[in-house]
């Protein structure tokens, strides 16, 4: 099972919006609505930001939103803030297993 | 408030095995599904496998089949991940994580352990 494809980096200025893509196949992203997104700051455990493509856990700001079209899922961060600078990972259910993306480093300029 | 607390850092020789524990507190352990995810230094996240404690059923990523064993002890609310035939490429932080359930698992990990660093070196 191959990893999902994410851009290695993304950036935006405070207040702007940035979108991170996550491309898989019909066997994972395209086949199920079980796409999740995680935020990871250096030295910390990942934090769940989005599940089931577009749902936010309690406590996650509504600046974070998710969507999916075909085999590609996306995470959009609106109103960028300095604390949003982190690594972001997507994951998807792939039929009895879970696969992650390679990660995207988000820089707030 | 559910917490997952993992065992401490390990240094192992190539060819040996390591067993990492993950103790849950503050919830009903048997009702969770626990996954193990690893992260090599400077690299991304990699799913290794999962266990449903109430059933004692585990499944593994193909990459680790035959080398990894995930178990759970309901009496102590503890999950374990044992990795054998260690090589230098297994040097990583190993995390346990609880799968979020919303009328069934949604294959998302909402609670994470603090991570256990495993170093494989001769």
């Amino acid at each position: 099972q191959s990893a999902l494809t994410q851009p290695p980096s993304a950036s935006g200025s405070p207040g702007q919006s940035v979108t991170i893509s996550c491309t898989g196949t019909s066997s994972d992203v395209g086949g199920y609505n079980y796409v999740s997104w995680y935020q990871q700051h250096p030295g910390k455990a990942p934090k769940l930001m989005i599940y089931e493509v577009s749902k936010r856990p309690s406590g996650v700001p509504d600046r974070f939103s998710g969507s999916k079209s075909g085999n590609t899922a996306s995470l959009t961060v609106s109103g960028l803030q300095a604390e949003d600078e982190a690594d972001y990972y997507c994951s998807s259910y792939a039929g009895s297993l879970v696969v992650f993306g390679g990660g995207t480093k988000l820089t707030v300029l | 408030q559910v917490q997952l607390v993992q065992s401490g850092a390990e240094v192992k020789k190539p060819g040996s095995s390591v067993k990492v524990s993950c103790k849950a507190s503050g919830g009903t352990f048997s009702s969770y599904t626990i996954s193990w995810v690893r992260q090599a230094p400077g690299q991304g996240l990699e799913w290794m496998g999962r266990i449903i404690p109430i059933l004692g059923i585990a499944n593994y990523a193909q990459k680790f089949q035959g080398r990894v064993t995930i178990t759970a002890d309901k009496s102590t609310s503890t999950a374990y991940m044992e990795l054998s035939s260690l090589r230098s490429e297994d040097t990583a932080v190993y995390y346990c994580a609880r799968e979020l359930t919303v009328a069934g698992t949604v294959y998302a990990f909402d609670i994470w352990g603090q991570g256990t660093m495993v170093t494989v070196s001769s």
Side-chain angles (χ1 to χ4, degrees):
Chain A
Q1 184 70 34
S2 300
L4 306 176
T5 300
Q6 297 181 234
S9 63
S11 63
S13 299
Q16 289 187 331
S17 293
V18 65
T19 296
I20 299 170
S21 63
C22 170
T23 301
T25 69
S26 59
S27 296
D28 38 64
V29 174
Y32 307 93
N33 287 323
Y34 291 128
V35 175
S36 305
W37 290 90
Y38 301 87
Q39 177 191 67
Q40 187 180 34
H41 288 109
K44 301 294 187 182
K47 176 185 176 182
L48 179 65
M49 305 301 283
I50 296 287
Y51 68 97
E52 288 188 280
V53 176
S54 61
K55 298 178 181 178
R56 280 186 308 276
S58 174
V60 173
D62 59 6
R63 302 186 295 104
F64 292 84
S65 62
S67 62
K68 189 184 85 167
S69 178
N71 296 337
T72 298
S74 298
L75 173 72
T76 298
V77 186
S78 305
L80 272 175
Q81 298 182 4
E83 59 262 35
D84 299 333
E85 184 162 296
D87 293 325
Y88 290 84
Y89 295 90
C90 62
S91 74
S92 175
Y93 178 66
S96 80
L97 56 92
V98 173
V99 61
F100 281 96
T104 298
K105 182 175 180 58
L106 175 60
T107 300
V108 180
L109 302 170
Chain B
Q1 180 77 349
V2 176
Q3 280 191 306
L4 300 176
V5 179
Q6 299 182 221
S7 50
E10 303 262 12
V11 179
K12 293 293 184 179
K13 299 286 189 188
S16 67
S17 298
V18 68
K19 191 171 186 177
V20 180
S21 67
C22 169
K23 183 172 177 61
S25 62
T28 307
F29 178 73
S30 291
S31 66
Y32 308 160
T33 296
I34 297 290
S35 275
W36 287 88
V37 177
R38 77 176 187 179
Q39 186 171 35
Q43 302 300 308
L45 302 172
E46 184 173 33
W47 184 81
M48 301 179 69
R50 62 202 287 261
I51 187 164
I52 307 172
I54 198 170
L55 299 176
I57 295 174
N59 67 291
Y60 307 112
Q62 188 172 8
K63 174 177 178 177
F64 300 101
Q65 285 276 2
R67 275 212 306 146
V68 68
T69 304
I70 297 174
T71 56
D73 182 341
K74 288 179 288 186
S75 68
T76 59
S77 299
T78 303
Y80 299 91
M81 185 283 301
E82 183 169 23
L83 187 63
S84 62
S85 302
L86 289 170
R87 35 210 189 227
S88 59
E89 310 90 87
D90 294 318
T91 294
V93 175
Y94 289 77
Y95 293 102
C96 61
R98 186 189 77 166
E99 290 185 15
L100 175 65
T101 54
V102 182
T105 182
V106 296
Y107 304 101
F109 309 118
D110 64 335
I111 306 292
W112 293 70
Q114 83 275 20
T116 296
M117 182 71 211
V118 175
T119 303
V120 183
S121 174
S122 55

